[in-house]
Amino acid sequence: MNKTITNSIISTSLLCLSISISAADVDVGSREYKILLDTSLFTGDASTRASKVSNYWTALKNVIENSSIERDTSGSLSLEKDRTIIFYDVEESCDLYNANYIFRERIENGNREVTLKYRSADRFIATKKDMDGTESGWESKFEEDIAAPFISKYSYSTKQDISNSKNLNKMDDPVGLYPGLEDENFDETLDIEKVGNLTVNEYVYKNASVDLGALDAEISLTLWYNESVSTTVPIVAEISFKYEDTNEDFSNNVVTRAKDLFTALQQETTLVSWNAQNSLTKTATVYQYDSNFCD
């Protein structure tokens, strides 16, 4: 073969390899599997809610330890986080959501934290978003979310603390906090509003895990309530488990056992009775809470 042609082929191959590597240059730091639960099964005051979460953990623990999964568990589901969540977007047009972004604020113990998240079924698109923050100590993570029956979506997100005096009322506020949004050419003069006029009270029950081999998976049960309507009837209930490795070094045993557990959550009789039928995800619930918000 002509030496010039050979060199050209090698150069092209190296270029393609370089592009491939750079397109996936952000490792998946965690994989989280999520199942929506029947909200009516968690209705009640704080004490009743805790009791029902405990009942679910008993059922889940029994499946993990005594079914075909046969893995060890540790801990139990106890209240770990009690905080408020607000999503912001442009009313009527929902510019952020329609561009696959989620912008939310969490308030816990008087401290404010904002998160910008970009979600896509295409990993290569998600990794190419500029998610840098502007506040000191901002943190980014790239993760895979897996919904039933086994639907993957990748999310690239950055969280950062903001002062109590910081306003979040114009599109230039999220753009100022996340300069990468300038690439989307949003109209920064537009007002942003509380999505669905909804303030969410979130309760997260954690401190339980399952041994998957090289990695443990952390289990969480999350309940969301409309702050202004009820603190006893949740609008969303979700069970999830996730495992983490910043270098994306997930062994075959870990991912196979995780998939088996996810299948059990959907098929084991004692767990299926807890599952929701045709429920919306947490984010979709917020955006559809007021059906006119995005019209």
Side-chain angles (χ1 to χ4, degrees):
M1 183 181 292
N2 183 284
K3 184 176 181 180
T4 301
I5 296 176
T6 302
N7 289 338
S8 177
I9 292 173
I10 293 173
S11 297
T12 301
S13 299
L14 290 174
L15 176 59
C16 290
L17 177 61
S18 174
I19 292 172
S20 177
I21 292 173
S22 65
D25 56 5
V26 182
D27 289 332
V28 172
S30 69
R31 304 183 78 214
E32 185 168 12
Y33 303 70
K34 302 178 179 181
I35 296 283
L36 292 163
L37 303 176
D38 184 347
T39 56
S40 68
L41 300 178
F42 296 92
T43 297
D45 60 17
S47 176
T48 302
R49 181 167 64 236
S51 177
K52 293 182 176 181
V53 169
S54 178
N55 291 342
Y56 181 84
W57 170 239
T58 298
L60 176 56
K61 177 182 173 73
N62 184 62
V63 166
I64 294 172
E65 295 183 349
N66 301 313
S67 70
S68 59
I69 298 171
E70 293 186 330
R71 302 303 299 176
D72 292 334
T73 65
S74 61
S76 60
L77 290 174
S78 57
L79 186 61
E80 176 76 11
K81 295 183 182 296
D82 175 357
R83 57 193 178 189
T84 299
I85 303 176
I86 300 170
F87 290 70
Y88 295 94
D89 212 329
V90 180
E91 190 170 5
E92 296 186 352
S93 58
C94 287
D95 293 15
L96 288 164
Y97 187 75
N98 287 324
N100 297 317
Y101 287 97
I102 301 298
F103 179 59
R104 69 173 182 237
E105 174 184 13
R106 283 175 171 160
I107 304 169
E108 185 173 8
N109 297 323
N111 299 314
R112 301 173 69 198
E113 174 190 274
V114 290
T115 298
L116 181 72
K117 177 181 291 189
Y118 181 85
R119 303 185 304 173
S120 176
D122 191 320
R123 172 177 179 166
F124 293 87
I125 291 175
T127 60
K128 287 305 174 184
K129 294 297 179 180
D130 178 358
M131 302 299 293
D132 288 0
T134 57
E135 299 299 299
S136 175
W138 59 268
E139 297 179 7
S140 292
K141 65 179 179 178
F142 187 69
E143 56 192 339
E144 181 183 7
D145 292 329
I146 302 165
F150 200 97
I151 303 171
S152 291
K153 183 167 283 189
Y154 295 92
S155 66
Y156 201 178
S157 63
T158 297
K159 65 180 181 180
Q160 52 190 328
D161 295 332
I162 59 173
S163 70
N164 288 334
S165 61
K166 172 64 178 175
N167 290 323
L168 297 174
N169 51 24
K170 292 282 187 181
M171 185 63 88
D172 65 358
D173 292 316
V175 173
L177 290 164
Y178 301 94
L181 287 176
E182 293 177 359
D183 296 338
E184 306 293 346
N185 296 315
F186 292 124
D187 183 346
E188 297 182 32
T189 67
L190 293 176
D191 293 337
I192 57 173
E193 310 285 349
K194 185 189 300 186
V195 177
N197 196 33
L198 181 65
T199 298
V200 172
N201 279 349
E202 179 183 62
Y203 300 93
V204 183
Y205 295 80
K206 304 179 74 171
N207 303 310
S209 63
V210 54
D211 172 19
L212 296 179
L215 296 172
D216 288 346
E218 178 187 80
I219 300 170
S220 300
L221 197 155
T222 302
L223 300 174
W224 277 14
Y225 299 79
N226 181 344
E227 181 184 65
S228 64
V229 174
S230 175
T231 58
T232 61
V233 182
I235 59 174
V236 176
E238 179 190 84
I239 187 69
S240 67
F241 66 93
K242 70 177 179 180
Y243 47 90
E244 302 177 321
D245 188 293
T246 55
N247 296 316
E248 197 178 322
D249 186 18
F250 306 122
S251 71
N252 180 64
N253 281 339
V254 167
V255 298
T256 300
R257 289 164 181 159
K259 188 175 187 299
D260 289 343
L261 174 54
F262 196 49
T263 299
L265 287 171
Q266 300 174 64
Q267 296 182 0
E268 287 286 343
T269 303
T270 54
L271 296 180
V272 168
S273 61
W274 289 83
N275 294 348
Q277 301 297 321
N278 303 316
S279 289
L280 300 172
T281 65
K282 297 195 297 293
T283 300
T285 296
V286 171
Y287 270 85
Q288 297 186 33
Y289 197 80
D290 178 354
S291 59
N292 295 318
F293 186 83
C294 288
D295 284 351

